[in-house]
């Protein structure tokens, strides 16, 4: 059986695979076992960015085998912990590890339930390019990032692929954040996607431990509101706690409490009367000197009454002084809305209709005709 290569219909790799299948052999695949360690234990300079990415360090011999297998690029691998039946996917960053060893980011060790020195199986694989991924932050502190989209775009540069169930880490402003992968599209059989050279739509679930803030209604219902005065103005909140605290019912313009109290305090005839001449047959009684009571005004020192001039009494009715503690306001005074032109015209018309001088005149003298 002979095979011919047609450049318009096939390529060299496809012809090679068909030839291997015709001979009863399977296409060769990279499949090796290594002792795994965290990136922090790798000799040489510190590699902090690599510890928060999704790529591993492999030995140089792995590169030689990969070049002979003609695998697709970018190089993607399936990492499997056979002892715990855990698997995920990752890319490769460098081929600088010692022979028989590989170095992984710390979050990958936790995902695979591995300890330093455990045996890890690494196999080459192919993954579809992703178009959607749903993430969930593992702490509400992720909400403090002002622009999470730009931060994640920069972090994804250190990843080749992501798998459902991964809890990867990234660092921003000297803070390490954990992010769980909840969903990917297209999911496929492996539940993993490639995140290189693709347009990826990212959705976020609520972070773990996030509690939505409770919003107050922001509206207060007064205890009593007159239905008629509600739209025209009038007394509002007259029975509220603020009105009771300042005793609004006593200082309101319509209240006469202040006027009555002032009239009682300024009255000149508040005491009882006494006769200078006793009645016949009765002994002379000694009248005690009257003492001013609470309602009797006491003349102030330095004041003098001028004969012929009446004392001016100040009108105490109307709005009284409102004394409130600092930083407090009161808006409970009655509102008298202004009349519009039509209402004013009606009031003037009613005023003109009133007759102040009605009735017939009466004369004391009789008329000359004897009537």
């Amino acid at each position: 059986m002979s095979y011919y290569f047609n450049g318009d219909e096939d390529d060299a790799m496809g012809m090679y695979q068909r030839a291997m299948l015709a001979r009863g052999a399977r296409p060769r695949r990279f499949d090796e076992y290594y002792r795994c360690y965290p990136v922090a234990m790798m000799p040489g300079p510190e590699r902090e960015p690599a510890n928060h990415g999704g790529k591993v360090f492999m030995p140089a011999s792995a590169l030689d085998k990969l070049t002979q297998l003609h695998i697709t690029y970018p190089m993607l691998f399936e990492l499997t912990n056979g002892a715990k039946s855990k698997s995920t996917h990752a890319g490769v960053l460098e081929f600088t590890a010692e022979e028989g060893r590989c170095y992984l980011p710390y979050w990958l060790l936790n995902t695979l339930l591995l300890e330093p020195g455990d045996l890890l199986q690494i196999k080459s694989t192919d993954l579809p390019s992703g178009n959607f991924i749903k993430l969930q932050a593992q702490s509400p502190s992720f909400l403090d990032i002002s622009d999470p989209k730009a931060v994640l775009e920069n972090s994804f540069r250190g990843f080749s692929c992501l798998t459902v169930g991964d809890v990867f880490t990234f660092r921003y402003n000297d803070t390490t954040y954990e992010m769980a992968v909840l969903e990917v599209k297209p999911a496929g059989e492996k539940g993993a996607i490639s995140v290189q050279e693709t347009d990826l739509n990212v959705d976020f679930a609520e972070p773990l431990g996030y509690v939505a803030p409770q919003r107050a209604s922001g509206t207060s219902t007064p205890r009593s509101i007159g239905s008629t005065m509600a739209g025209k103005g009038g007394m509002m909140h007259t029975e509220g706690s603020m009105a009771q605290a300042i005793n609004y019912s006593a200082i309101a313009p319509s209240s006469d409490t202040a006027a009555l109290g002032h009239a009682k305090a300024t009255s000149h005839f508040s005491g009882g009367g006494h006769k200078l001449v006793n009645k016949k047959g009765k002994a002379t009684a000694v009248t005690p000197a009257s003492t001013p009571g609470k309602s009797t005004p006491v003349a102030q020192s330095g004041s003098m009454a001028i004969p012929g001039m009446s004392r001016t009494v100040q009108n105490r009715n109307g709005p009284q002084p409102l004394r409130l503690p600092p930083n407090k306001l009161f808006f409970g005074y009655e509102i008298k809305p202004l009349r519009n032109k039509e209402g004013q015209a009606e009031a003037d018309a009613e005023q003109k209709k009133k007759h102040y001088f009605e009735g017939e005149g009466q004369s004391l003298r009789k008329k000359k005709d004897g009537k």
Side-chain angles (χ1 to χ4, degrees):
M1 184 180 295
S2 58
Y3 296 89
Y4 300 92
F5 170 69
N6 188 349
D8 297 335
E9 298 178 359
D10 219 333
D11 55 3
M13 189 63 188
M15 183 179 67
Y16 170 76
Q17 292 178 352
R18 286 195 302 272
M20 294 295 294
L21 290 173
R23 294 179 184 178
R26 295 181 179 180
R28 301 174 63 185
R29 181 183 182 185
F30 182 86
D31 190 351
E32 296 292 339
Y33 288 84
Y34 298 98
R35 296 289 177 180
C36 62
Y37 297 91
V39 174
M41 297 179 63
M42 188 174 182
E46 185 178 359
R47 299 173 175 85
E48 181 65 21
N51 199 34
H52 299 287
K55 299 180 180 180
V56 302
F57 292 83
M58 301 174 64
S61 59
L63 178 60
D64 295 337
K65 294 179 181 179
L66 289 168
T67 54
Q68 296 174 7
L69 296 177
H70 303 284
I71 64 172
T72 58
Y73 291 87
M75 296 183 183
L76 302 177
F77 301 92
E78 181 180 354
L79 312 182
T80 304
N81 179 9
K84 301 293 180 65
S85 300
K86 299 287 292 183
S87 64
T88 187
H89 301 81
V92 59
L93 184 61
E94 294 179 1
F95 295 94
T96 56
E98 300 94 329
E99 291 298 327
R101 291 188 175 189
C102 68
Y103 294 91
L104 284 68
Y106 188 73
W107 71 266
L108 271 176
L109 292 174
N110 292 335
T111 299
L112 297 172
L113 304 178
L114 290 169
E115 297 292 337
D118 288 350
L119 201 61
L120 177 66
Q121 183 183 12
I122 300 180
K123 298 183 294 185
S124 60
T125 186
D126 294 328
L127 297 176
S129 296
N131 53 40
F132 174 82
I133 186 171
K134 188 173 183 179
L135 305 175
Q136 183 185 36
Q138 302 300 290
S139 173
S141 60
F142 177 74
L143 301 177
D144 297 336
I145 300 178
S146 58
D147 191 356
K149 179 181 178 182
V151 173
L152 285 176
E153 285 181 355
N154 185 51
S155 301
F156 279 171
R157 296 176 184 176
F159 292 82
S160 297
C161 54
L162 287 170
T163 308
V164 175
D166 287 350
V167 182
F168 65 90
T169 62
F170 66 93
R171 194 166 180 82
Y172 176 71
N173 280 351
D174 298 332
T175 304
T176 301
Y177 298 91
E178 294 183 345
M179 193 72 64
V181 181
L182 302 182
E183 183 184 357
V184 294
K185 292 181 182 180
E189 297 179 358
K190 300 178 179 179
I193 57 172
S194 173
V195 296
Q196 288 188 338
E197 299 179 0
T198 181
D199 294 330
L200 196 62
N201 296 321
V202 182
D203 188 17
F204 294 96
E206 287 187 358
L208 290 181
Y210 172 75
V211 178
Q214 298 180 356
R215 297 183 178 179
S217 61
T219 59
S220 60
T221 305
R223 296 184 182 179
S224 61
I225 299 178
S227 58
T228 305
M229 301 303 294
K232 301 180 180 179
M235 295 191 354
M236 302 283 289
H237 304 276
T238 56
E239 298 180 3
S241 59
M242 186 67 178
Q244 294 177 359
I246 64 174
N247 195 15
Y248 173 73
S249 59
I251 64 174
S254 59
S255 174
D256 57 354
T257 305
L260 294 176
H262 179 69
K264 185 177 180 180
T266 57
S267 175
H268 295 281
F269 303 97
S270 58
H274 298 280
K275 291 184 177 181
L276 298 178
V277 179
N278 295 330
K279 292 182 179 181
K280 296 180 178 180
K282 291 186 179 181
T284 304
V286 179
T287 304
S290 61
T291 57
K294 295 182 180 179
S295 61
T296 304
V298 180
Q300 298 179 359
S301 59
S303 62
M304 181 181 297
I306 302 175
M309 294 189 66
S310 62
R311 183 177 178 182
T312 304
V313 179
Q314 185 178 359
N315 184 16
R316 292 291 181 178
N317 201 8
Q320 302 301 311
L322 182 62
R323 297 177 177 85
L324 296 178
N327 302 323
K328 283 193 177 182
L329 300 175
F330 178 69
F331 299 94
Y333 280 104
E334 297 180 12
I335 301 174
K336 295 183 179 179
L338 297 175
R339 295 180 179 177
N340 51 18
K341 294 182 178 179
E342 297 179 357
Q344 187 66 29
E346 293 178 359
D348 295 342
E350 293 179 359
Q351 190 72 13
K352 292 179 180 179
K353 291 180 181 179
K354 293 182 179 180
H355 300 282
Y356 295 98
F357 302 99
E358 295 181 352
E360 298 179 358
Q362 300 293 332
S363 177
L364 298 177
R365 293 182 180 181
K366 294 182 179 181
K367 295 183 179 180
K368 294 181 179 181
D369 55 359
K371 293 182 180 179

